[in-house]
Amino acid sequence: MNFPPYITQEKLQLFIRQAFLEDVGDGDHSTLASVPYDAIQEAELKVKDNGIIAGIELAKIIFDTFDPSLQIDQYKKDGDSVVFGDVVFKVKGSSQSILTCERLVLNCMQRMSGIATYANEMMDLVKGTNAKILDTRKTTPNFRMIEKWAVKIGGAENHRFGLYDMIMLKDNHIDFCGNITKAVQQTKEYLSNHHLHLKIEVETRNLKEVEEALKASVDFIMLDNFELNDLKQAVKLIDGRVKTEASGGITKESVKSIAETGVDFISSGAIIHSAKNFDLSLKAISKML
């Protein structure tokens, strides 16, 4: 499995073990009390929605982490289109293990599939343009890695992962510092002094700030909450000298017209924070063997 660069086996194992610690505590007493330890069961993951399935690879790692003897028969892969009634995979083995893993697997896959579906819909809306859809840092604490993975599965792109892998001078940075010119100058000095090689993006709120950002020589200019006409003017003014990113209140209804202005990227927090959970279920398909 080729993971995005921010995902490692170590990080996945840490996430999974913390999730089990939170959910299982000192034991899944409902299962331990009612299901014999040597019972064997088979269950299937059923789709009760329409969209893009995501989280299958994560589910397999969750099952394997908890009980390596569980067997998975897989019928779909991450990123596939699915419809109501599809079976994604079957899992067979210890009834106790399947029951204890059930909620963690479903929670992750329902969230990931909802995000992947939303991201995929946004990408479909900008087909025929050069714009790419980006996510943002508006993620669930301690779940960002999984949510951004889902964005990639859905066909959109990841923006910076955190505060450490790119410079983004937003409105508050600029206002606290004084102006764009001063903020960029100090940033370049900081990067040089600390031997860091990070791209610099500056948020602009009007055409005057766009001109200032251009003079400051940055890598990306964010056009935040620009009206369409101003967005077109900004793209024309920048004229390909740096990459452009439209941001602020991006919706499914507005994204196509924004993409048609010629911006390189459109960032949307909504593809993560407003994605509806996908409806999935894990159900027994045979009695205990």
Side-chain angles (χ1 to χ4, degrees):
M1 172 68 186
N2 291 322
F3 297 119
Y6 46 82
I7 292 179
T8 65
Q9 285 289 352
E10 291 77 15
K11 288 180 180 178
L12 283 175
Q13 287 300 314
L14 178 61
F15 163 74
I16 291 168
R17 294 182 188 283
Q18 287 179 327
F20 275 128
L21 181 62
E22 175 185 64
D23 196 35
V24 179
D26 66 353
D28 174 7
H29 299 303
S30 302
T31 295
L32 294 172
S34 62
V35 178
Y37 78 93
D38 57 351
I40 302 298
Q41 183 72 40
E42 189 174 16
E44 61 184 9
L45 189 97
K46 295 194 69 173
V47 175
K48 301 166 71 177
D49 220 326
N50 301 312
I52 303 297
I53 195 71
I56 300 170
E57 292 303 318
L58 176 58
K60 289 159 61 177
I61 297 170
I62 291 171
F63 282 127
D64 185 65
T65 297
F66 190 81
D67 184 349
S69 71
L70 292 173
Q71 301 172 14
I72 308 292
D73 292 325
Q74 184 177 339
Y75 308 110
K76 300 288 183 181
K77 65 181 185 300
D78 283 331
D80 281 353
S81 294
V82 292
V83 297
F84 190 104
D86 281 347
V87 174
V88 176
F89 61 72
K90 293 180 182 178
V91 54
K92 183 177 180 180
S94 163
S95 301
Q96 289 190 349
S97 295
I98 293 171
L99 285 166
T100 302
C101 291
E102 176 187 1
R103 181 43 53 194
L104 178 56
V105 166
L106 286 174
N107 283 351
C108 290
M109 289 195 66
Q110 287 176 317
R111 186 79 187 114
M112 290 183 73
S113 297
I115 292 168
T117 298
Y118 199 122
N120 187 259
E121 290 170 352
M122 291 286 273
M123 286 299 298
D124 280 343
L125 289 169
V126 300
K127 276 184 179 176
T129 74
N130 293 322
K132 295 181 179 179
I133 303 295
L134 299 176
D135 58 21
T136 71
R137 284 174 48 247
K138 295 176 182 177
T139 57
T140 308
N142 298 322
F143 201 61
R144 178 176 298 175
M145 172 177 68
I146 307 303
E147 291 175 333
K148 281 184 170 279
W149 187 6
V151 168
K152 289 287 288 183
I153 291 171
E157 299 294 329
N158 298 140
H159 210 313
R160 59 177 179 162
F161 187 81
L163 294 170
Y164 59 86
D165 58 347
M166 181 179 176
I167 297 290
M168 184 181 287
L169 302 175
K170 295 180 69 65
D171 53 358
N172 278 341
H173 295 98
I174 293 161
D175 290 342
F176 287 175
C177 182
N179 56 55
I180 289 174
T181 303
K182 185 178 178 182
V184 173
Q185 180 183 354
Q186 291 184 178
T187 295
K188 289 181 177 180
E189 290 173 1
Y190 172 89
L191 293 176
S192 176
N193 292 338
H194 289 80
H195 307 290
L196 295 171
H197 303 282
L198 300 176
K199 298 290 187 182
I200 300 174
E201 178 167 2
V202 170
E203 178 180 333
T204 61
R205 294 164 284 192
N206 52 58
L207 292 172
K208 183 179 179 181
E209 289 191 342
V210 170
E211 292 177 348
E212 188 178 359
L214 279 171
K215 290 177 182 176
S217 269
V218 297
D219 300 292
F220 299 87
I221 293 178
M222 179 192 291
L223 308 164
D224 189 53
N225 284 301
F226 275 50
E227 297 290 339
L228 274 181
N229 285 337
D230 288 340
L231 203 53
K232 292 175 185 176
Q233 288 186 56
V235 170
K236 185 177 180 180
L237 177 64
I238 293 166
D239 194 29
R241 285 177 283 177
V242 300
K243 295 295 185 181
T244 54
E245 174 191 334
S247 181
I250 308 297
T251 66
K252 291 179 182 178
E253 292 71 30
S254 67
V255 70
K256 177 71 170 179
S257 57
I258 292 171
E260 289 172 341
T261 65
V263 293
D264 298 297
F265 302 102
I266 301 173
S267 57
S268 168
I271 63 174
I272 291 179
H273 67 62
S274 294
K276 180 180 72 71
N277 271 15
F278 206 72
D279 199 356
L280 300 166
S281 66
L282 186 67
K283 295 296 184 184
I285 56 175
S286 62
K287 293 182 179 180
M288 289 187 297
L289 303 176

